[in-house]
Amino acid sequence: MIHTRGLTRSFRARGETVEAVRGLDLDVETGSVVAFLGPNGAGKTTSLRMLTTLLPPTSGTATVAGCDVLADPAGVRRRIGYLGQGNSASSALRVLDELVTQGRAYGLNRSEARARADQLLAALELESLTKRTVGTLSGGQRRRLDIAIALIHEPELLFLDEPTTGLDPQSRANIWDHILRLHKEIATTVFFTTHYLEEADLWAERVMIVDHGRVIADDPPEKLKADLAGDRITVGTADATDAARAAEVARGLPTVHEVTVEGTAVSVRTTGGDAHLPRLLRRLEDEGVQVSVADLTRPTLDDVFLTLTGRSLRESADADSAPSAMFQGA
Amino acid sequence: MKLINDTGVAFTREMAPELRQPAGLIFNMMLPFLFLALFAPLLSSMGDVGQGSESHWQWFAPGILVLLGLSGTAGAGAALLNEMVSGAFERMLVTPMSRGAMLVGRTLKEVVILLAQALLIIAILLPTGFHLYPLGALAGLVLLTVFGVGIGALSFTLAIHSKKQQTLFYGIQQVAFFPLLLLSGVLLPITEDSAPTWLYVLSRINPVTYVVEAERHLFAGRFAEVSVLYGTIAAVAIAVLGVAVGIRGMRNATV
Ligand SMILES: Nc1ncnc2c1ncn2[C@@H]1O[C@H](COP(=O)(O)OP(=O)(O)OP(=O)(O)O)[C@@H](O)[C@H]1O
Ligand SMILES: [Mg+2]
């Protein structure tokens, strides 16, 4: 569905050259759901703009939905849907008008467009706002309208640039329901970016992590987490001596990647943490090490990013979920 | 077929808010209204400004219609500029709609508004010394439409090329607007005798001058004047140029 080779894009800004995307090689299969993750400025939006014919690449090739983005941009446009990072609807116009216009832009006639618009407005809980001017909507209402606009023609390929930014948890779940329903019913391929890592974890079959314009990891989320992060067991001990002994014991376990001591807490990175935790506690008991708390954290994609780059994605993202409970009670 | 359909979609999209709030029509007519109310009365005390015995309204009104075409439609690009900043334009660019149709549809809406405003001004002037020559007025409105297409399309083009720096749009618009207006003889006649040579030459270079002169003849019911020909050529040239660069700009528009 998407194939790119050596896709690059650089910008000139104030005499400096910014290399936003450096050599993107993508092959996305029809019917898959792919997440594109990376910190601010990684080149996600720029990549999407090239794939959606909005921005000509500096070099490289891209075929999207069977059409070359440079040779046949009209062909690409007919087959895709796009939700940009900004506002899709003009603030001076009415909600329903913008939806109907979008349907008609894709060749639906007035009544078809109207019928689809009504369905989406109901599904995204916007029916009470149809006559409102877009500029008067709340941020989240506006984002839901943007999503309705992107879905109205039921495209075979959807590009979504931060679809759920600014939405409350319930709306986010609702939006994903709709996107995935389209995916199930008509096998729409979904290519999305997000700063909510759980969304990538939950919904994507494949996660690509980009940093500085390059893809640095590309696998199903489970595999990324197992290979690059692993589970984390944390045990709290009475004092530093006990912590050191506990660390020694932990290092003796099989499949342990890394053991670190921080004060009286010992943190163990491993695969199969759920099986290891009771085993570790038994051994510590045998060794006479007093354990006051024990905790198991499953890895997140943020841990994957941390392993890959030494930086956290959360620092730059508008993190909405609680920070890892790793050291609670330690 | 698709072109016509797409033009219709673009036109309808722009027209919808205007139809819902027809009073909005009046807001961007302030400049011509002010000139009619606060400047035109001065002309009667200045004696003979126009062609012979006609009322000064007869001379002044056609110029005001051209001013309307210039001031109203020149700002058309501002709305597009807002959409370019917000992301709404980007979303339209990803649809399969013809980009030429996007420009033409938007320009048509500007022209419809312009015509409605022109009719309103004519209606207001009817009780004055302004005499309506129906055929001439009709021809005058057609000429105004062609002129409005050109100015509107040029305004959109300017907006497309100002996406990186919005101030460029407002700067150029302002810098172009007043010289074009003042050098067209809309307010006072600029003749070889009354004006310094350099000013007269500048006014002769200004294409708007020819449109104004043609409008004056047409609204006085005179068709067989060489000025009418020149004005028509000037308006058509502006329209062709505007639509050509506008469609080009739209086609190459990126974000
Ligand atoms: N039009 C432009 N002119 C100059 N530089 C640009 C332009 N667009 C993007 N860039 C630069 O290219 C880099 C990549 O930007 P891009 O918008 O693709 O990032 P992103 O991954 O989408 O980030 P975010 O998560 O913040 O949306 C950034 O350094 C950005 O400043
Ligand atoms: Mg982005």
Side-chain angles (χ1 to χ4, degrees):
Chain A
M1 190 52 98
I2 307 172
H3 302 282
T4 72
R5 288 293 170 268
L7 202 61
T8 62
R9 173 72 205 201
S10 48
F11 294 103
R12 290 201 61 78
R14 308 229 166 267
E16 276 176 49
T17 306
V18 183
E19 291 184 50
V21 177
R22 319 175 192 218
L24 192 63
D25 296 315
L26 278 184
D27 288 288
V28 173
E29 277 163 38
T30 304
S32 52
V33 179
V34 179
F36 208 50
L37 303 182
N40 291 138
K44 304 180 297 293
T45 298
T46 307
S47 302
L48 253 56
R49 282 182 167 159
M50 287 193 282
L51 296 176
T52 53
T53 75
L54 283 166
L55 202 63
T58 307
S59 65
T61 58
T63 314
V64 174
C67 306
D68 187 278
V69 290
L70 284 177
D72 186 13
V76 175
R77 289 180 199 136
R78 265 198 302 279
R79 292 173 174 82
I80 65 168
Y82 171 63
L83 170 73
Q85 197 173 351
N87 289 311
S88 300
S90 175
S91 47
L93 304 179
R94 285 195 185 183
V95 170
L96 180 62
D97 289 355
E98 275 292 69
L99 259 178
V100 172
T101 300
Q102 184 76 357
R104 297 199 63 205
Y106 282 94
L108 303 180
N109 68 33
R110 184 161 274 289
S111 58
E112 286 165 347
R114 179 64 204 262
R116 292 259 180 95
D118 285 340
Q119 275 171 15
L120 278 166
L121 287 167
L124 298 177
E125 288 159 26
L126 292 164
E127 328 80 325
S128 60
L129 305 171
T130 51
K131 291 198 172 146
R132 287 267 285 276
T133 304
V134 174
T136 68
L137 301 184
S138 80
Q141 292 168 337
R142 202 163 170 163
R143 199 60 182 155
R144 278 185 279 154
L145 172 60
D146 291 347
I147 289 164
I149 287 176
L151 300 181
I152 195 154
H153 58 297
E154 304 189 338
E156 54 184 287
L157 170 59
L158 253 181
F159 290 98
L160 306 169
D161 199 353
E162 300 191 20
T164 55
T165 296
L167 296 183
D168 62 46
Q170 197 198 335
S171 303
R172 278 168 60 195
N174 184 12
I175 297 292
W176 276 108
D177 269 0
H178 287 286
I179 296 170
L180 295 172
R181 170 138 26 102
L182 214 56
H183 168 67
K184 284 204 194 74
E185 283 173 4
I186 60 168
T188 293
T189 308
V190 182
F191 191 90
F192 72 99
T193 77
T194 183
H195 287 298
Y196 299 117
L197 301 177
E198 329 70 76
E199 288 186 347
D201 212 342
L202 278 171
W203 314 125
E205 295 153 9
R206 180 174 163 197
V207 171
M208 283 181 221
I209 300 183
V210 276
D211 193 26
H212 299 304
R214 283 204 179 82
V215 175
I216 55 172
D218 176 1
D219 263 313
E222 303 74 33
K223 187 162 177 343
L224 282 178
K225 288 185 295 187
D227 291 359
L228 292 165
D231 298 337
R232 188 173 293 275
I233 297 171
T234 315
V235 292
T237 58
D239 53 44
T241 335
D242 269 4
R245 284 170 60 206
E248 205 50 49
V249 172
R251 284 195 189 97
L253 291 171
T255 74
V256 163
H257 301 313
E258 193 188 5
V259 179
T260 47
V261 181
E262 216 172 292
T264 58
V266 180
S267 157
V268 182
R269 211 157 60 71
T270 179
T271 33
D274 45 357
H276 274 322
L277 180 58
R279 199 174 299 151
L280 176 65
L281 291 179
R282 269 198 310 275
R283 290 216 187 150
L284 289 175
E285 180 110 50
D286 295 347
E287 293 285 324
V289 176
Q290 285 285 322
V291 176
S292 52
V293 284
D295 189 17
L296 173 67
T297 332
R298 297 303 210 162
T300 64
L301 289 171
D302 189 42
D303 299 324
V304 172
F305 190 75
L306 191 67
T307 311
L308 285 169
T309 66
R311 286 173 290 132
S312 169
L313 269 174
R314 293 255 179 240
E315 283 158 17
S316 52
D318 24 344
D320 67 323
S321 56
S324 150
M326 236 166 66
F327 291 109
Q328 258 175 26
Chain B
M1 202 43 231
K2 174 168 162 27
L3 266 179
I4 296 173
N5 192 55
D6 287 354
T7 306
V9 173
F11 174 78
T12 314
R13 174 171 187 262
E14 300 300 317
M15 205 60 205
E18 306 288 342
L19 290 177
R20 293 222 174 82
Q21 270 194 332
L25 206 79
I26 297 175
F27 285 115
N28 64 353
M29 292 178 73
M30 273 310 152
L31 202 59
F33 271 148
L34 287 175
F35 276 113
L36 276 180
L38 307 179
F39 185 83
L42 294 173
L43 289 173
S44 60
S45 59
M46 283 180 47
D48 192 15
V49 289
Q51 283 99 355
S53 60
E54 284 161 352
S55 133
H56 67 277
W57 290 110
Q58 202 72 35
W59 180 85
F60 192 60
I64 282 301
L65 294 181
V66 176
L67 164 64
L68 180 71
L70 205 54
S71 67
T73 43
L80 179 59
L81 203 57
N82 283 337
E83 293 199 358
M84 292 172 63
V85 175
S86 78
F89 183 60
E90 172 179 299
R91 148 205 152 213
M92 300 298 282
L93 287 182
V94 186
T95 69
M97 257 175 92
S98 148
R99 295 191 173 193
M102 288 185 208
L103 178 95
V104 175
R106 278 180 185 265
T107 308
L108 281 181
K109 173 255 179 176
E110 295 303 322
V111 169
V112 169
I113 300 290
L114 172 63
L115 281 179
Q117 291 173 329
L119 289 175
L120 190 61
I121 286 190
I122 292 172
I124 291 171
L125 288 174
L126 282 181
T128 70
F130 176 76
H131 178 66
L132 187 68
Y133 297 86
L135 272 186
L138 196 65
L141 288 176
V142 171
L143 184 64
L144 185 66
T145 304
V146 175
F147 177 68
V149 165
I151 299 296
L154 283 174
S155 177
F156 289 128
T157 313
L158 181 59
I160 292 168
H161 293 291
S162 312
K163 68 160 192 276
K164 282 199 179 134
Q165 207 166 7
Q166 287 182 68
T167 44
L168 193 71
F169 176 81
Y170 297 100
I172 292 184
Q173 194 207 331
Q174 290 301 319
V175 166
F177 174 72
F178 280 104
L180 284 177
L181 174 71
L182 294 172
L183 289 172
S184 65
V186 163
L187 303 177
L188 292 170
I190 300 177
T191 61
E192 241 173 324
D193 313 326
S194 70
T197 313
W198 62 270
L199 196 88
Y200 178 73
V201 170
L202 283 179
S203 84
R204 289 287 110 190
I205 296 171
N206 180 5
V208 183
T209 305
Y210 299 93
V211 179
V212 172
E213 287 174 353
E215 290 288 8
R216 286 192 175 131
H217 285 297
L218 289 173
F219 273 89
R222 295 186 295 267
F223 284 87
E225 297 279 348
V226 70
S227 296
V228 172
L229 179 66
Y230 290 158
T232 308
I233 291 172
V236 169
I238 293 171
V240 168
L241 175 75
V243 172
V245 295
I247 289 182
R248 219 183 109 93
M250 228 14 136
R251 288 229 173 103
N252 299 334
T254 59
V255 288

